[in-house]
Amino acid sequence: QVQLVETGGGLVQAGGSLRLSCTGSRNIFSINAMGWYRQAPGKQRELVATITSGSTTNYADTVKGRFTISLDNARNTVYLQMNSLKPEDTAVYYCNGHISTGLRYRDYWGQGTQVTVSS
């Protein structure tokens, strides 16, 4: 089993910045893609940003120009730099990875980290 551990959440004022990190366990053989999703209270989980091993990125329209996703393959770590945060960015942020431990690729999820943006 692959474990993904997120860090970097917290409380920030509107207009501020946070950087989320998600590191995978050592048994990862290959990463196809990783991403960040979020879920606000009473809402469905939604895509924030994804990145492939070839560095192709995709962003939700609501975060384009404010958030940046990056991937460090050597460290099995994906980052989400969040700038110009808004109260509507408040949610639990989950890391996702399409990862192989040597046999086949499958999806893994982190436990989530809370991001709260105050107005």
Side-chain angles (χ1 to χ4, degrees), residues 27-98:
N27 60 332
I28 290 175
F29 176 74
S30 176
I31 295 173
N32 183 40
M34 294 192 76
W36 290 94
Y37 293 72
R38 67 187 181 186
Q39 187 167 18
K43 295 188 177 181
Q44 289 188 331
R45 189 174 297 189
E46 63 178 7
L47 179 147
V48 176
T50 61
I51 184 167
T52 69
S53 59
S55 300
T56 298
T57 58
N58 179 51
Y59 295 92
D61 288 342
T62 53
V63 306
K64 280 181 181 176
R66 300 188 297 123
F67 292 9
T68 302
I69 190 170
S70 58
L71 176 63
D72 185 337
N73 274 293
R75 291 181 169 83
N76 292 338
T77 300
V78 63
Y79 303 96
L80 185 68
Q81 178 66 43
M82 305 186 292
N83 298 327
S84 303
L85 283 161
K86 304 175 181 180
E88 51 264 44
D89 293 318
T90 295
V92 177
Y93 283 69
Y94 296 91
C95 173
N96 169 267
H98 194 55

